[in-house]
Amino acid sequence: MALATGVGSFPGSDQRDLDEAVRLVLDRLGTEQGLPFVPEVPGRGAPAGMIGRAIGLVAELDADLQPAGWRLTGTSGAPALDQRRARSLLAQDLDTFEELADGYTGPVKVQVAGPWTLAATVERPRGDKVVADHGARRDLAQALALGVADHVADVRRRVPGADRVVLQLDEPALPAVLAGAVPTASGFGKHRAVHPPEASEVLEWVLGAARDAGAEPWVHCCAADAPLALLRGAGAVGLAVDLSLVGAAGHDALAEALEAGGVVALGVVPAQDPDRPPSVSAVAERVLRWLEMVGLEPEQGGERLLVSPACGLAGAGGTWTRRSVDLSLEVARALTGTVPA
């Protein structure tokens, strides 16, 4: 039985939009064939965005918001106003999810920016990105691992009916980190590439922290050349991708993950408003063609094969946002054979 889920982000600019997103997720995906998740509404400002949420979780390090983005302060005093705001917004979002999910039983997913995307985005106290400093990027990753463990425990406490908690690390910048393609602050150069062994080790810390806290660790990467084999080797039980950006090696890695008992979330529903919305049958056929291409039968995936939008929905219109969630669920049902495709 295929399942439906989402990547994480929704459009909107205030708390009412977050409330509506939570209701939509729980109403549509809080079903037998859905994996509901705690939505993100980054349009409320940087503290509510992917990086801001992760900064809010990193209790061991202080950060503030500069014109160029988030920057570690190098101090151990009280967190800066923007970091406190990030923590407050995340707590409010979890409060909302906890209230509206009262009585819910089933799986729940939460999303956190991964250590390499943080390192490629957040600045050091003395300038330029954390990825430029071997020690700083390890410190940030270890602090994130502690924050992830606390986050999983908090979600378990708030949603006691959750029989399965998924922690999804979002790593859109990982391919650029590995390729040495992260721009320096000046914009005239690139930071040195991080070698795969170190990239894997750092991911292992965070994914291992999630696993030890009782969560199922996934990694989502909707960039081209996502290093899926590396992610599996680092401990990712689930891989979430934009199927249109997966290359030959990636297809093999996804098939191997399913055959080995892992989870694969295929991003096959448009994340932006399409000129012509695809039909349920067209999207379902795309998934079936992929399964045939990699030599798998539909029943081999079962609940370990998920359907989702290709990426977050923050840039989509409200109508398409709702339709994309419904379409993901309808495709999952069509693949299962519970409704005609």
Side-chain angles (χ1 to χ4, degrees):
M1 178 174 68
L3 301 181
T5 192
V7 172
S9 66
F10 279 75
S13 58
D14 57 33
Q15 184 64 35
R16 289 174 299 178
D17 295 314
L18 186 282
D19 296 347
E20 182 179 343
V22 172
R23 290 190 181 94
L24 174 65
V25 165
L26 290 171
D27 179 55
R28 302 293 202 275
L29 300 178
T31 62
E32 183 181 3
Q33 284 195 250
L35 171 56
F37 53 94
V38 179
E40 305 163 3
V41 179
R44 294 176 294 169
M50 177 177 69
I51 301 303
R53 278 198 168 196
I55 289 293
L57 289 177
V58 179
E60 300 294 311
L61 299 173
D62 293 336
D64 61 11
L65 194 57
Q66 298 292 312
W70 290 98
R71 181 193 66 180
L72 300 178
T73 63
T75 65
S76 58
L81 175 63
D82 294 308
Q83 189 176 21
R84 295 200 305 271
R85 176 63 174 155
R87 292 175 182 173
S88 176
L89 276 172
L90 177 57
Q92 291 174 32
D93 293 353
L94 291 172
D95 286 344
T96 299
F97 194 88
E98 178 183 4
E99 178 184 353
L100 296 177
D102 184 37
Y104 168 76
T105 58
V108 172
K109 179 168 72 72
V110 292
Q111 306 80 224
V112 177
W116 290 112
T117 293
L118 281 181
T121 308
V122 176
E123 291 190 345
R124 300 175 294 173
R126 58 182 179 274
D128 227 322
K129 305 301 183 187
V130 168
V131 74
D133 186 317
H134 178 79
R137 63 201 190 205
R138 294 172 77 87
D139 288 345
L140 180 57
Q142 289 172 347
L144 179 63
L146 292 174
V148 159
D150 291 342
H151 188 39
V152 170
D154 189 25
V155 171
R156 284 199 169 279
R157 178 184 61 80
R158 290 171 176 274
V159 191
D163 56 12
R164 172 190 178 198
V165 175
V166 173
L167 188 286
Q168 172 186 302
L169 286 185
D170 289 319
E171 281 286 17
L174 179 57
V177 168
L178 293 170
V182 177
T184 58
S186 68
F188 295 112
K190 306 288 185 184
H191 291 291
R192 290 182 179 178
V194 171
H195 297 302
E198 183 189 353
S200 180
E201 180 185 29
V202 165
L203 285 164
E204 284 177 26
W205 295 339
V206 185
L207 294 170
R211 183 183 61 251
D212 293 344
E216 184 178 303
W218 291 15
V219 178
H220 167 255
C221 183
C222 58
D225 301 319
L228 301 179
L230 182 150
L231 297 176
R232 286 192 64 216
V237 172
L239 300 173
V241 298
D242 176 347
L243 188 58
S244 68
L245 297 178
V246 176
H251 291 302
D252 291 340
L254 293 175
E256 290 168 6
L258 278 177
E259 289 183 304
V263 177
V264 170
L266 296 178
V268 288
V269 172
Q272 303 283 340
D273 298 58
D275 294 332
R276 295 182 60 186
S279 66
V280 174
S281 59
V283 179
E285 180 61 27
R286 184 181 176 197
V287 176
L288 292 172
R289 286 199 305 270
W290 178 80
L291 288 168
E292 181 180 11
M293 180 186 72
V294 298
L296 297 177
E297 297 294 331
E299 58 270 17
Q300 286 182 263
E303 292 187 358
R304 295 178 291 106
L305 179 65
L306 290 93
V307 176
S308 80
C311 201
L313 298 168
T319 299
W320 179 248
T321 297
R322 291 185 290 274
R323 179 59 190 143
S324 67
V325 174
D326 286 339
L327 182 57
S328 298
L329 185 57
E330 290 163 9
V331 171
R333 288 172 175 164
L335 292 169
T336 305
T338 56
V339 298

